[in-house]
Amino acid sequence: MNSDTRAAVGDRIIVRGTRPGAARRDGEVVGLHHPDGSPPYDVRWSDTGRVTEYLPGPDAQIHHFRHEEDDRPSSAGRHPFAD
């Protein structure tokens, strides 16, 4: 399995149409079926608000959501009241 197809809750899925005139869709991953983030996912689509099970194809891209906490240095091993 390609690591690019793994997702986490909160990631964004963008599906580009492969045929002329096909609409682009995007949605938010709201649920996972596997703990490692492999497909399929439950996606809430922005155009309809519906949640469906989705198995990404070659026309899909996953944009990974970064939490603000990811940018902060780790405080592991430090006392919570330390300077």
Side-chain angles (χ1 to χ4, degrees):
M1 165 104 0
N2 184 341
S3 64
D4 292 341
T5 61
R6 297 186 193 282
V9 171
D11 286 351
R12 185 173 177 208
I13 301 271
I14 297 177
V15 183
R16 301 189 191 285
T18 56
R19 299 179 321 265
R24 184 189 118 178
R25 292 188 83 190
D26 67 284
E28 177 185 356
V29 176
V30 296
L32 301 174
H33 292 252
H34 304 284
D36 67 352
S38 60
Y41 322 115
D42 292 332
V43 176
R44 179 179 297 117
W45 299 104
S46 65
D47 57 345
T48 64
R50 291 186 59 208
V51 175
T52 62
E53 185 176 284
Y54 178 69
L55 187 64
D59 55 344
Q61 291 182 328
I62 300 172
H63 292 262
H64 300 285
F65 179 75
R66 281 189 68 178
H67 295 276
E68 288 181 20
E69 304 89 59
D70 293 345
D71 295 330
R72 286 188 278 176
S74 174
S75 60
R78 290 180 41 201
H79 189 278
F81 301 115
D83 291 303

